[in-house]
Amino acid sequence: MNLKMLKLENLLRCHAVFRQLHSLGQRRMLAQWSHVFSSAYPVWTAQPCVWPWQTDLVIGAALSQYRLLVTKKEERSQKPPLSSTKSKKEVEVWIGMTVEELARAMEKDIDCVFEALMNTDIDIDSLEAHSHLDEVWIKEVIKKTRMKLKWSKLKQDKVRENKDAVRRPQADPALLIPRSPVVTIMGHVDHGKTTLLDKLRKTQVAAMEAGGITQHIGAFLAADDGVMKQTVESIQHARDAQVPIVLAINKCDKAEADPEKVKKELLAYDVVCEDYGGDVQAVHISAVTGDNLMALAEATIALAEMLELKADPTGPVEGTVIESFTDKGRGPVTTAIIQRGTLRKGSILVAGKSWAKVRLMFDENGKPIQEAYPSMPVGIIGWRDLPSAGDEILEVESEPRARAVVDWRKYEQEQEKNKEDLKILEEKRKEHQEAHQKAREKYGTLHWKERSFLKYQEKKEQKLLKPKEKEERDSPVLPIIIKGDVDGSVEAIVDIMNTYDASHECELQLVHFGVGDVSENDVNLAETFHGVIYGFNVNAGNVIQKSAAKKGVKIKLHKIIYRLIEDVQEELSFRLPCTVEENPIGEASILATFTVTEGKKKVPVAGCRVQKGQLEKQKKFKLIRNRDVIWKGSLTSLKHHKDDISVIKSGMDCGLSLSEEKIEFKVGDEIICYEEKEVPGKTSWDPGF
């Protein structure tokens, strides 16, 4: 700064000196001229110059202003230099995002994305706001808009400590004591399972159930039916569980019973009875008369002794939920089998995503008990929520520990769901990417005019297809809500519904299922979806019934499981459109052909003989040639000799003409007279009952 100031001061001083010299020279010249002309012409002169002291003031003011400006400039230069460009904006993106989502993340309009993708390989014409972008194009847009890319990831929670409860290691063989066998009775519907249990336990289970089926136990074999669908399923269940089988062939008291046929049929499923050199015991019984039931019990006990079944009665309890239901007075209730340890009142249990502090226990007869040992069935009251049949029961040390286990299991379930959702999203993205790639390949070599024309044609075709799509959406649908008395009942019904394979006829939608009586929420849900409520061994109170009737909701209650399934089949069939059936009334063969003149036109006529039934002029007819139907319609005339008739019977000759004159008759053709009849539709779904 000092150097610049010195230069400026020198220049200003030189300029001032020059002005002073110039003004001095002018004064001298004026003085000489004034001396010459002073006598003749008196002249008034003004001072044209600036005095030196005035010049110094001007220079000083200029220098002070300049010093001030230079000082400020130097102060600014001493500050840290600002960046010439602003910091890049960070944009959070993710795989599979759409054009609209990218624009929103950039805080720009959609046109900005389109502009960035111009002059690239992507087909701009095919892009829309909801179009998904590949990773390459997302990067291209961010790059061209001079922003910073940041890939979004799923929210990463802190790694949580595993709080789950697990079974204990295997017990010391020295601690094991003999236990009772747990017997499962399985087989086909209505093969006598409940009656058998009635006789074996000397209870009245069958008397309390309609139709002789108990969903709580399972299913059974009948000598008069043989191996049925659910019999095969029962065999497969036993194999999956790796448990031995005792074959009870029921209904042997019937005259048509054939136990040997049953044994031979079972050979196809690798079930070889002892009579055929295998290791499966087969007992011929009658659950109704009680024949040979003692032999069946002895066979079961003998097998259990051979297996040497033992269990550990010490330590925390381990077991399995057999059934669960909600009791109005007692809340959630489970029936369970204890597999290890001894269950006592006050124990803290965990099963699935629910836990319990045992308030009350009861045996199979409903009597309260204080302890439950391995292999012992027990009813448990005190659950906070209703566990599911098949859930593992584990005892924990305290209520906080039980809550921690349940919270961990819910967290794990949520994480699994997030993974599944991400997997589905990735699959959808890949599908869209492949479709987009195919579209690019399809239009890549075309001129833009040809490409635009083809896209216009495709959109036009899509508009024409909309009515058809609407028709598909309006296809029959049956939404259903299932309520059952216990979890096992509901599970069995839902499993049967999962075998539905006639969605092309009528879509079956399972809107909701649960345990307990029909509630107002069920009615509201059925009203919303225009569905039907099916209940198994549950009730619907008068208030619920009136509410359902007012809202137009059907409630169908059943005590027999296969009656419920039959009701669903009927409801499905009711929603199907009627089919038209052709019922033949008569048949005639063409023996000759000729034409007749009516006014100015010639009409072909067929000379026929009625071979079967009768021909009625008012009915519909079809012409068959070489077993192919070549015409359907009505007759314009039917004559016997020259007389017009309305009916002609078998064995008589007649002449007839068709409503379509262009059809030509040939000798040997057949004429069928028929009537159409609407028949209610019937679902093709076969649940196996």
Side-chain angles (χ1 to χ4, degrees):
M1 184 196 98
N2 295 330
L3 184 61
K4 291 180 179 180
M5 288 290 296
L6 288 173
K7 286 182 179 179
L8 180 61
E9 287 179 358
N10 291 333
L11 287 172
L12 290 172
R13 290 183 188 282
C14 289
H15 181 69
V17 171
F18 174 77
R19 292 287 299 273
Q20 289 176 2
L21 291 173
H22 180 68
S23 64
L24 181 61
Q26 285 183 335
R27 286 201 302 272
R28 287 179 179 177
M29 290 178 67
L30 288 171
Q32 292 176 358
W33 283 102
S34 63
H35 178 74
V36 174
F37 296 104
S38 60
S39 58
Y41 303 96
V43 179
W44 293 94
T45 59
Q47 191 71 18
C49 62
V50 180
W51 290 106
W53 66 269
Q54 291 175 320
T55 302
D56 291 340
L57 287 174
V58 172
I59 292 172
L63 286 173
S64 64
Q65 289 295 325
Y66 182 75
R67 286 192 189 97
L68 182 63
L69 291 173
V70 172
T71 303
K72 288 183 178 180
K73 186 176 180 181
E74 284 191 348
E75 288 176 356
R76 287 198 301 268
S77 64
Q78 291 175 0
K79 293 181 180 179
L82 295 174
S83 176
S84 59
T85 59
K86 294 182 179 179
S87 59
K88 292 183 178 180
K89 179 181 177 180
E90 193 173 65
V91 180
E92 190 174 20
V93 298
W94 58 91
I95 295 174
M97 71 188 310
T98 64
V99 174
E100 185 178 13
E101 290 170 341
L102 180 56
R104 194 183 302 119
M106 295 166 56
E107 296 182 356
K108 302 283 186 181
D109 56 16
I110 294 177
D111 292 338
C112 178
V113 179
F114 288 137
E115 290 174 5
L117 291 174
M118 289 181 68
N119 300 321
T120 61
D121 294 336
I122 195 170
D123 185 6
I124 297 292
D125 296 334
S126 66
L127 282 183
E128 296 181 4
H130 61 272
S131 299
H132 293 268
L133 294 172
D134 296 343
E135 180 180 340
V136 177
W137 307 123
I138 295 174
K139 290 181 178 178
E140 185 71 17
V141 172
I142 299 299
K143 180 181 177 182
K144 287 190 175 181
T145 52
R146 297 180 180 180
M147 295 185 181
K148 188 177 179 181
L149 186 74
K150 179 184 176 183
W151 288 105
S152 175
K153 296 181 180 179
L154 285 176
K155 184 180 178 181
Q156 297 291 330
D157 293 334
K158 293 181 180 179
V159 178
R160 294 180 59 173
E161 182 184 355
N162 190 331
K163 298 287 187 178
D164 203 2
V166 295
R167 286 180 178 266
R168 293 178 286 155
Q170 290 186 355
D172 184 353
L175 299 176
L176 302 181
I177 61 173
R179 67 170 179 84
S180 303
V182 178
V183 182
T184 304
I185 298 178
M186 298 187 296
H188 196 68
V189 172
D190 202 24
H191 278 189
K193 302 171 298 297
T194 305
T195 308
L196 173 64
L197 286 171
D198 183 22
K199 291 291 183 179
L200 288 174
R201 300 186 304 176
K202 296 182 180 179
T203 62
Q204 296 299 320
V205 177
M208 295 189 300
E209 294 187 12
I213 183 171
T214 170
Q215 192 57 45
H216 307 189
I217 305 298
F220 198 58
L221 265 178
D224 57 343
D225 273 352
V227 178
M228 304 293 285
K229 181 179 179 180
Q230 288 179 322
T231 308
V232 178
E233 292 178 0
S234 301
I235 295 170
Q236 190 59 48
H237 286 317
R239 283 185 178 153
D240 293 342
Q242 298 181 349
V243 295
I245 297 174
V246 175
L247 178 62
I249 304 177
N250 194 25
K251 301 185 180 181
C252 288
D253 57 309
K254 291 188 174 183
E256 62 272 19
D258 190 354
E260 295 304 318
K261 174 189 172 185
V262 175
K263 295 178 185 178
K264 290 177 182 178
E265 289 177 351
L266 287 172
L267 293 174
Y269 304 98
D270 295 330
V271 178
V272 185
C273 299
E274 292 177 339
D275 297 348
Y276 292 89
D279 57 356
V280 177
Q281 299 181 77
V283 183
H284 304 176
I285 66 168
S286 171
V288 174
T289 63
D291 292 344
N292 249 3
L293 294 189
M294 188 56 67
L296 178 61
E298 290 173 355
T300 305
I301 294 171
L303 180 60
E305 290 176 351
M306 290 174 60
L307 295 173
E308 296 182 351
L309 302 173
K310 293 183 179 181
D312 176 16
T314 63
V317 170
E318 297 175 8
T320 301
V321 176
I322 301 300
E323 202 54 84
S324 61
F325 58 95
T326 301
D327 186 271
K328 288 184 178 180
R330 299 182 293 183
V333 181
T334 64
T335 56
I337 292 289
I338 305 302
Q339 296 169 295
R340 190 175 181 183
T342 301
L343 182 63
R344 297 179 176 87
K345 186 177 178 180
S347 298
I348 308 297
L349 306 178
V350 173
K353 290 179 284 297
S354 59
W355 66 278
K357 182 176 182 179
V358 180
R359 292 191 289 108
L360 179 66
M361 297 185 296
F362 55 90
D363 61 12
E364 67 274 16
N365 298 316
K367 295 181 179 179
I369 56 176
Q370 299 301 318
E371 294 181 336
Y373 303 99
S375 294
M376 190 172 175
V378 58
I380 303 172
I381 298 175
W383 294 94
R384 297 303 189 269
D385 297 298
L386 197 65
S388 299
D391 282 349
E392 182 182 64
I393 296 176
L394 297 174
E395 183 179 3
V396 294
E397 58 272 16
S398 64
E399 292 186 21
R401 171 63 176 145
R403 293 191 189 95
V405 172
V406 171
D407 289 343
W408 169 259
R409 291 179 178 180
K410 290 179 179 178
Y411 168 76
E412 271 193 323
Q413 185 183 37
E414 183 180 354
Q415 293 301 306
E416 288 297 324
K417 184 179 182 299
N418 290 340
K419 289 180 182 178
E420 289 296 324
D421 292 344
L422 184 61
K423 184 178 178 182
I424 293 171
L425 178 64
E426 183 64 18
E427 290 175 355
K428 293 290 184 184
R429 188 195 70 80
K430 287 182 179 179
E431 289 177 6
H432 181 81
Q433 189 174 3
E434 291 173 0
H436 176 65
Q437 186 66 28
K438 289 179 181 179
R440 287 177 58 194
E441 293 173 357
K442 180 179 179 182
Y443 300 117
T445 59
L446 298 177
H447 188 267
W448 70 270
K449 291 183 179 180
E450 296 174 339
R451 186 166 62 243
S452 300
F453 177 73
L454 287 176
K455 289 182 178 179
Y456 169 75
Q457 292 288 347
E458 289 179 358
K459 288 182 179 179
K460 189 175 179 181
E461 291 176 1
Q462 289 176 358
K463 288 180 180 179
L464 293 175
L465 288 174
K466 283 185 178 179
K468 183 178 180 181
E469 293 173 358
K470 184 176 184 300
E471 182 180 345
E472 290 177 356
R473 288 196 300 268
D474 293 340
S475 59
V477 179
L478 175 59
I480 61 173
I481 295 170
I482 296 173
K483 298 301 290 288
D485 56 343
V486 293
D487 190 66
S489 300
V490 177
E491 182 183 4
I493 296 170
V494 171
D495 286 343
I496 295 172
M497 296 302 171
N498 288 336
T499 66
Y500 184 71
D501 56 359
S503 296
H504 59 285
E505 299 172 348
C506 179
E507 185 179 353
L508 181 63
Q509 292 181 347
L510 183 57
V511 177
H512 172 68
F513 59 88
V515 176
D517 291 340
V518 179
S519 66
E520 187 65 32
N521 289 336
D522 299 326
V523 175
N524 293 334
L525 198 60
E527 181 190 20
T528 302
F529 286 89
H530 306 288
V532 181
I533 301 174
Y534 288 93
F536 179 74
N537 276 340
V538 295
N539 297 317
N542 292 332
V543 176
I544 299 298
Q545 296 273 12
K546 291 178 180 178
S547 174
K550 184 178 180 180
K551 296 176 180 179
V553 174
K554 295 180 183 177
I555 299 179
K556 300 188 174 184
L557 306 178
H558 294 272
K559 298 291 184 181
I560 307 172
I561 192 169
Y562 54 82
R563 297 294 184 206
L564 185 149
I565 303 302
E566 288 175 356
D567 198 330
V568 175
Q569 286 178 292
E570 291 176 3
E571 191 67 34
L572 286 165
S573 300
F574 176 76
R575 300 197 175 212
L576 296 178
C578 294
T579 58
V580 178
E581 288 187 355
E582 296 179 356
N583 295 326
I585 298 174
E587 298 178 8
S589 57
I590 298 178
L591 305 178
T593 63
F594 50 91
T595 59
V596 296
T597 302
E598 293 182 357
K600 294 183 178 181
K601 57 182 181 179
K602 295 182 178 181
V603 178
V605 177
C608 307
R609 178 170 295 164
V610 182
Q611 304 291 346
K612 186 188 298 184
Q614 62 185 24
L615 305 186
E616 300 180 17
K617 185 180 178 182
Q618 301 303 322
K619 301 296 183 182
K620 293 188 177 182
F621 289 79
K622 56 185 175 181
L623 178 63
I624 297 177
R625 181 177 299 157
N626 297 327
R627 298 183 180 179
D628 294 328
V629 178
I630 63 173
W631 170 84
K632 280 187 175 183
S634 57
L635 301 182
T636 55
S637 67
L638 178 63
K639 294 187 177 184
H640 178 60
H641 300 304
K642 293 184 179 181
D643 301 327
D644 290 325
I645 56 175
S646 58
V647 177
I648 187 165
K649 297 184 178 180
S650 177
M652 299 177 66
D653 296 336
C654 65
L656 54 84
S657 59
L658 309 181
S659 58
E660 191 172 344
E661 298 176 358
K662 295 181 180 180
I663 299 296
E664 295 183 357
F665 297 110
K666 288 187 178 180
V667 176
D669 290 351
E670 291 181 334
I671 294 288
I672 306 295
C673 176
Y674 67 94
E675 63 180 354
E676 291 181 344
K677 184 179 180 181
E678 286 191 349
V679 178
K682 185 177 181 181
T683 181
S684 61
W685 175 43
D686 181 12
F689 290 113

